[in-house]
């Protein structure tokens, strides 16, 4: 029994060391994959975003819980948006409202993520 308790404590200590406070745990690849279903709506602004798009935004909201995660997700979304010169800024900015999801940053290539 004593060995099990020690093993659990060692694992908990290792996990805490793996994620330092203030470091983002969300990756740009994850952000892009979650927002990818929104691409056609963001590019055209025509129609409505898909259910997959809104689900992706909701998952992004749930994944980015710390300040560092939110800043990382914001920067990733900004960088991804900058890669599309024909992005419809109004459509991108309207996504959270249309999907009825509150995220702490708009999807835009002109936002300050700090």
């Amino acid at each position: 029994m004593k060995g099990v308790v020690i093993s659990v404590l060692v694992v908990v200590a290792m996990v805490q060391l793996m994620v330092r406070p203030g470091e983002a745990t969300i990756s740009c690849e994850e952000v892009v994959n979650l927002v990818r279903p929104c691409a056609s709506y963001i590019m055209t602004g025509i129609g409505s975003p898909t259910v997959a798009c809104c689900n992706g935004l909701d998952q992004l909201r749930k994944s980015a819980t710390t300040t560092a995660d939110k800043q990382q997700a914001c920067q990733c979304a900004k960088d991804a948006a900058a890669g599309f010169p024909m992005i419809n800024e109004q459509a991108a900015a309207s996504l959270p409202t249309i999907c009825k999801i509150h995220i702490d940053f708009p999807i835009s290539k002109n936002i300050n993520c700090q």
Side-chain angles (χ1 to χ4, degrees), residues 15-81:
V15 168
Q16 288 179 339
L17 289 174
M18 290 170 57
V19 179
R20 294 184 210 128
E23 284 190 12
T25 58
I26 192 166
S27 71
C28 282
E29 181 180 5
E30 184 178 359
V31 172
V32 169
N33 285 336
L34 291 171
V35 179
R36 182 174 285 130
C38 303
S40 63
Y41 178 75
I42 291 172
M43 298 299 286
T44 65
I46 297 172
S48 298
T50 64
V51 171
C53 169
C54 292
N55 288 342
L57 286 181
D58 191 42
Q59 186 59 44
L60 177 60
R61 178 189 61 81
K62 291 175 183 174
S63 297
T65 56
T66 68
T67 299
D69 284 342
K70 291 174 185 177
Q71 288 174 335
Q72 174 74 12
C74 176
Q75 190 62 52
C76 293
K78 179 180 177 178
D79 292 346

